């Protein structure tokens, strides 16, 4: 679908998401008859907001060398980065409110100036992404592992049965290591030497990968473009995001929503900073997630399964959404007769499409975790069993479990039990939303998925800022103020580096993490209490 055709559709319509009369930021507006004549002022406001957003992000790009991954975090640089990020996020929040106001204006489909506004938005978002190509990743080093594993995959070396530490050419005392009896490990050491001992740059080098084969394919593509090149990897991310943008514009057009809503993803500072400055691979999820929703809308069960399978091939967690996607594809109620009638036509086709991609992608990851007999070297197993960082509700749950264990002197670990409880809660929530979904289709599926992902982000043992990208891709359709706030407060995560340097990490956990998650959570609870966010309420 040509991007130009997507741009030149009705920019603002009377129907802006079902149902049209429900407004997110308050009751339906009374449109003043003079509002149309003042629209150019609103456009000027938008241009001012965009200019301010660009200014903040340019300033962050310029100061990025002061917050490099391999430099000792300084208080001044960290505070400056967080302040600029907050400025960009506040501007973005005002921008979302501006778009809400403008899209409430009656039909202005013939106004050519709105097309100009959208073009400015699209070019600005693209320019901000290109600008990140030359920046230094701010307090991030995950991209080292992406490039390392991409080089291995490109050379047909498994990142599931090897670890970056296997590529070390010297022992802890600086002595050369003897050749291994394994050819793949010897090949790792050659790759590391050819690339300035690159294996030493990878974090947690004694753990194997946590990423399925879909992500490894993207890593290998960047390696084929240019081995061990952050520029090549960022270029892959930008290419994937341009495809996601096209899908978002197409989806908005199909739903009769203003294309300006794409700004809530395309100009989102968190997406731009964590996705393209930090170069996090979560950006890869946007396109397949939207593609899955499009296939649900078209009621194409097999292709919806393929879309969700591709998501799982990039990261494992989208598998939890399978019941919701399947329910969105099924027509009618969930009676035994209805399920039996759609068993072959819908259910089997969906599962077939899901397994075709998901099975080969997860098999080496799971087998490496299950069959690891040489010690705790599986990155996936370590992440699932013990990883905890920047978590909000999970430590509270873990302390409650620990209290119960101590009272009963039970021979179990509190962290393990807490993880089982979180997995169970998320699974029960997903099943409940699927069962209570009264009208199948894409909108109920997206709303329910949004709730599940939001719950996962707040309950997970790890709460990284780039996890909000999973929610940001829904903002053009579900512009929830709580998630918009989370996209800003998540930048408090980076203050932890100051406290880590001062050997006072508990201060960050006790003070800043509650601030990071607390305000968004209060907004989300308020929206739910007033009936503006729930499994059967359109938050738009």
């Amino acid at each position: 679908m040509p991007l130009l055709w997507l741009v030149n559709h009705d920019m603002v319509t009377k129907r802006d998401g079902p149902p049209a009369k429900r407004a997110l930021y308050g009751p339906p507006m009374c449109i003043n008859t003079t509002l149309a004549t003042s629209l150019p002022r609103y456009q000027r406001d938008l241009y001012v907001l965009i200019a301010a957003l660009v200014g903040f992000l340019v300033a962050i790009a310029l100061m990025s060398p002061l917050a490099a991954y391999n430099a000792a975090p300084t208080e001044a640089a960290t505070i400056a980065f967080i302040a600029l990020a907050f400025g960009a996020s506040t501007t973005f929040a005002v921008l979302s409110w501006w778009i809400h106001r403008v899209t409430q204006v009656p039909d202005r489909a013939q106004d050519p100036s709105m097309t100009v506004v959208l073009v400015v938005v699209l070019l600005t978002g693209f320019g901000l992404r290109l600008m990140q190509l030359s920046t230094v990743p701010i307090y991030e080093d995950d991209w080292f592992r992406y490039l390392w594993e991409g080089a291995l995959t490109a050379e047909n070396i498994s990142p599931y049965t090897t670890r970056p530490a296997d590529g070390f050419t010297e022992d802890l005392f600086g002595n050369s290591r003897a050749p291994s009896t394994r050819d793949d490990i010897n090949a790792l050491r050659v790759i590391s030497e050819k690339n300035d001992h690159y294996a030493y740059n990878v974090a947690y080098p004694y753990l194997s990968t946590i990423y399925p084969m879909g992500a490894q394919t993207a890593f290998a593509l960047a390696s084929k473009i240019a081995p061990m090149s952050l520029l090549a990897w960022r270029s892959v991310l930008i290419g994937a995001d341009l495809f996601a943008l096209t899908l978002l514009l197409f989806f908005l057009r199909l739903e009769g929503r203003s294309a300006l809503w794409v700004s809530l993803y395309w100009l989102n500072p968190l997406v731009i900073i964590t996705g393209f400055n930090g170069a996090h691979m979560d950006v890869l999820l946007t396109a397949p997630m939207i593609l899955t929703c499009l296939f649900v809308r078209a009621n194409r069960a097999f292709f919806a399964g393929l879309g969700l399978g591709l998501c799982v091939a990039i990261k494992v967690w989208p598998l939890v959404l399978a019941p919701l996607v399947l329910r969105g594809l099924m027509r009618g109620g969930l009676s035994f007769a209805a399920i039996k009638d759609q068993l072959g036509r819908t259910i089997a086709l969906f599962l077939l499409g899901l397994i075709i991609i998901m099975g080969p992608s997860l098999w080496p990851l799971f087998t490496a975790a299950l069959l690891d007999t040489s010690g705790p070297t599986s990155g996936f197993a370590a992440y699932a069993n013990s990883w905890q960082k920047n978590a909000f509700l999970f430590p509270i749950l873990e302390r409650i479990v620990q209290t119960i264990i101590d009272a009963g002197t039970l021979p179990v670990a509190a962290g393990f039990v807490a993880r089982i409880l979180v997995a169970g809660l998320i699974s029960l929530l997903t099943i409940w939303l699927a069962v209570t979904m009264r009208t199948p289709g894409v909108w109920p599926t997206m709303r329910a998925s949004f709730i599940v992902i939001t719950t996962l982000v707040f309950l997970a043992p790890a709460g990284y800022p780039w996890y909000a990208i999973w929610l940001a891709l829904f903002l053009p359709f579900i512009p929830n103020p709580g998630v918009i706030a989370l996209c800003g407060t998540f930048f408090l995560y980076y203050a932890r580096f100051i406290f880590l340097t001062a050997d006072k990490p508990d201060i960050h956990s006790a003070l800043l993490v509650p601030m990071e998650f607390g305000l968004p959570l209060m907004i989300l609870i308020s929206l739910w209490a007033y009936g503006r966010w729930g499994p059967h309420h359109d938050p738009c």
Side-chain angles (χ1 to χ4, degrees):
M1 188 65 63
L3 186 61
L4 186 59
W5 177 81
L6 295 173
V7 170
N8 287 308
H9 81 89
D10 296 350
M11 302 295 358
V12 180
T13 65
K14 293 181 180 179
R15 177 180 176 272
D16 199 19
K21 292 184 178 180
R22 180 175 284 126
L24 173 62
Y25 296 90
M29 297 172 53
C30 297
I31 304 300
N32 191 295
T33 55
T34 62
L35 185 57
T37 61
S38 64
L39 188 58
R41 177 173 61 85
Y42 282 90
Q43 293 184 21
R44 289 195 296 271
D45 291 344
L46 173 65
Y47 296 139
V48 170
L49 289 171
I50 291 178
L53 183 64
V54 170
F56 283 119
L57 292 176
V58 167
I60 290 173
L62 293 175
M63 61 83 57
S64 64
L66 302 177
Y69 75 96
N70 55 354
T74 64
E75 185 174 342
T78 306
I79 292 176
F81 167 62
I82 295 174
L84 291 170
F86 276 167
S89 301
T90 303
T91 304
F92 174 71
V94 177
L95 175 65
S96 67
W97 174 83
W98 182 94
I99 292 173
H100 165 76
R101 289 289 303 272
V102 171
T103 53
Q104 297 302 303
V105 178
D107 194 359
R108 299 184 60 87
Q110 305 304 318
D111 188 350
S113 63
M114 297 305 296
T115 302
V116 176
V117 171
L118 179 60
V119 170
V120 170
V121 166
L122 298 181
L123 291 178
T124 300
F126 182 59
L128 290 173
R129 282 160 173 77
L130 289 180
M131 182 177 66
Q132 304 306 320
L133 293 175
S134 60
T135 59
V136 176
I138 297 175
Y139 297 144
E140 296 295 351
D141 60 359
D142 284 357
W143 54 277
F144 282 119
R145 181 173 285 272
Y146 303 158
L147 301 186
W148 171 256
E149 293 180 359
L152 303 193
T153 305
E155 296 294 332
N156 295 318
I157 301 173
S158 172
Y160 304 102
T161 58
T162 61
R163 307 163 303 164
D166 294 329
F168 291 174
T169 57
E170 297 178 347
D171 61 20
L172 296 177
F173 302 99
N175 301 316
S176 297
R177 300 176 68 178
S180 173
T181 57
R182 292 172 51 180
D183 292 338
D184 56 346
I185 291 180
N186 290 325
L188 292 190
R189 296 175 184 176
V190 172
I191 292 174
S192 183
E193 284 185 311
K194 284 184 177 179
N195 294 277
D196 196 22
H197 301 282
Y198 201 93
Y200 292 89
N201 294 322
V202 181
Y204 308 103
Y206 291 94
L207 294 176
S208 61
T209 186
I210 64 171
Y211 302 108
M213 282 305 301
Q216 298 294 343
T217 302
F219 303 160
L221 175 60
S223 182
K224 290 293 186 181
I225 296 173
M228 305 298 186
S229 169
L230 178 59
L231 176 62
W233 169 239
R234 282 171 166 167
S235 300
V236 169
L237 292 177
I238 290 177
D241 219 33
L242 286 173
F243 179 51
L245 172 67
T246 304
L247 293 175
L248 283 169
L249 290 171
F250 180 57
F251 199 172
L252 288 167
R253 187 202 186 289
L254 290 178
E255 289 298 321
R257 287 178 62 78
S258 169
L260 288 176
W261 283 112
V262 80
S263 307
L264 272 65
Y265 175 80
W266 195 239
L267 295 182
N268 193 318
L270 182 133
V271 175
I272 294 170
I273 293 173
T274 65
F276 298 95
N277 170 269
H280 282 283
M281 51 79 64
D282 299 76
V283 172
L284 299 174
L285 275 176
T286 303
M289 288 286 282
I290 297 301
L291 196 60
T292 302
C293 293
L294 284 169
F295 286 131
V296 171
R297 187 184 189 279
N299 196 30
R300 304 296 296 273
F302 176 73
F303 291 101
L306 288 177
L308 186 60
L310 183 56
C311 295
V312 178
I314 295 171
K315 276 208 164 181
V316 177
W317 72 261
L319 183 60
V320 75
L321 304 178
L324 299 176
V325 176
L326 179 58
R327 180 66 184 102
L329 292 164
M330 297 176 64
R331 294 296 175 249
L334 286 179
S335 64
F336 178 78
I339 295 175
K340 182 179 178 181
D341 179 64
Q342 300 182 68
L343 189 61
R345 184 180 58 193
T346 299
I347 300 176
L349 287 175
F350 169 75
L351 293 177
L352 178 62
L354 178 65
I355 294 172
I356 283 177
I357 294 183
M358 181 186 73
S361 298
L362 296 187
W363 178 258
L365 183 66
F366 285 160
T367 53
L370 294 174
L371 301 179
D372 182 19
T373 58
S374 59
T377 61
S378 168
F380 182 74
Y383 187 87
N385 293 329
S386 60
W387 206 267
Q388 184 173 331
K389 188 173 292 185
N390 200 54
F392 176 46
L393 297 177
F394 183 82
I396 299 174
L397 179 61
E398 190 176 27
R399 284 194 293 270
I400 294 173
V401 172
Q402 186 64 59
T403 301
I404 296 173
I405 291 175
D406 293 340
T409 62
L410 302 174
V412 291
F416 175 77
V417 175
R419 280 172 165 77
I420 295 297
L421 288 175
V422 169
L425 287 171
I426 295 296
S427 300
L428 289 175
L429 175 63
T430 304
I431 294 172
W432 179 75
L433 290 173
V435 170
T436 58
M437 192 182 295
R438 291 179 293 186
T439 56
V442 67
W443 278 94
T445 301
M446 291 178 68
R447 287 193 292 267
S449 299
F450 191 77
I451 293 171
V452 169
I453 298 171
T454 303
T455 306
L456 177 61
V457 169
F458 278 86
L459 282 177
Y464 294 112
W466 44 95
Y467 288 2
I469 296 175
W470 310 344
L471 291 167
L473 64 92
F474 289 99
L475 287 178
F477 308 94
I478 308 176
N480 189 285
V483 172
I484 291 174
L486 182 65
C487 288
T489 58
F490 245 148
F491 286 108
L492 284 172
Y493 162 82
Y494 294 94
R496 65 184 292 269
F497 294 99
I498 299 177
F499 297 101
L500 285 175
T501 302
D503 199 23
K504 297 178 180 179
D506 292 341
I507 296 178
H508 178 265
S509 300
L511 181 63
L512 294 185
V513 171
M515 295 172 60
E516 193 175 332
F517 290 91
L519 176 61
L521 183 60
M522 287 191 293
I523 296 174
L524 290 169
I525 292 174
S526 299
L527 290 172
W528 174 80
Y530 284 97
R532 294 195 176 277
W533 186 50
H536 304 304
H537 294 84
D538 180 15
C540 298

